[in-house]
Amino acid sequence: QKEAWQEHKRECKCLKSIEPNFPPDSVRLVGRIVFKLLGQSVACPSEKLYSFSDLQSNIEELSEEMKEGLKHLAQTLQIYLRVEIQDASQLLPTIDIFQIFAKVSGNFALSGINFIYNSS
């Protein structure tokens, strides 16, 4: 638990800032990814095998409906993270929120999970 506190502390702060609302799991997941990409957390052993940058986003293959859903999730993420990241310009130039959602949603689709609409 102590090892995970650095990551959880930021997430907890974000969750408290939007009470009584609660973001979908997909938004929380991408929030964690953003914090990892910003280098604010310790890498876990599996990250030695795979890198997030290795994932394909396949944006060109997404339907317009899927792109709209991902845009909505990206807006929700900005609201969720605003207590930690007040302005998207604070993100590193290599962090593209839409690309992150596209990468994660593509991998969820491969596993049969509806990334956009599932919140549990």
Side-chain angles (χ1 to χ4, degrees):
Q1 247 180 345
K2 286 183 181 183
E3 292 175 17
W5 177 242
Q6 282 307 107
E7 289 181 31
H8 180 67
K9 182 169 68 173
R10 294 184 91 179
E11 182 180 24
C12 188
K13 190 175 178 182
C14 292
L15 287 169
K16 285 184 178 183
S17 75
I18 60 168
E19 282 182 330
N21 299 315
F22 197 80
D25 289 347
S26 55
V27 169
R28 291 181 57 211
L29 172 63
V30 172
R32 288 179 181 182
I33 292 169
V34 168
F35 291 147
K36 282 237 182 233
L37 293 174
L38 290 173
Q40 299 294 325
S41 60
V42 178
C44 66
S46 66
E47 289 175 294
K48 294 176 184 170
L49 299 175
Y50 302 102
S51 169
F52 188 76
S53 62
D54 293 336
L55 298 176
Q56 298 289 320
S57 68
N58 298 316
I59 288 177
E60 63 282 350
E61 296 175 22
L62 299 177
S63 68
E64 287 305 312
E65 180 183 4
M66 184 71 157
K67 288 178 184 177
E68 279 303 310
L70 294 179
K71 286 179 189 175
H72 177 72
L73 287 174
Q75 291 168 342
T76 303
L77 179 73
Q78 287 180 330
I79 293 167
Y80 172 62
L81 293 181
R82 72 176 166 216
V83 69
E84 282 289 317
I85 302 169
Q86 290 77 28
D87 184 357
S89 67
Q90 290 179 291
L91 295 173
L92 299 172
T94 57
I95 298 178
D96 180 334
I97 299 300
F98 188 78
Q99 284 277 344
I100 293 172
F101 273 107
K103 286 180 177 189
V104 174
S105 69
N107 285 280
F108 270 77
L110 291 174
S111 66
I113 297 172
N114 185 336
F115 179 75
I116 291 181
Y117 301 107
N118 276 1
S119 63
S120 57

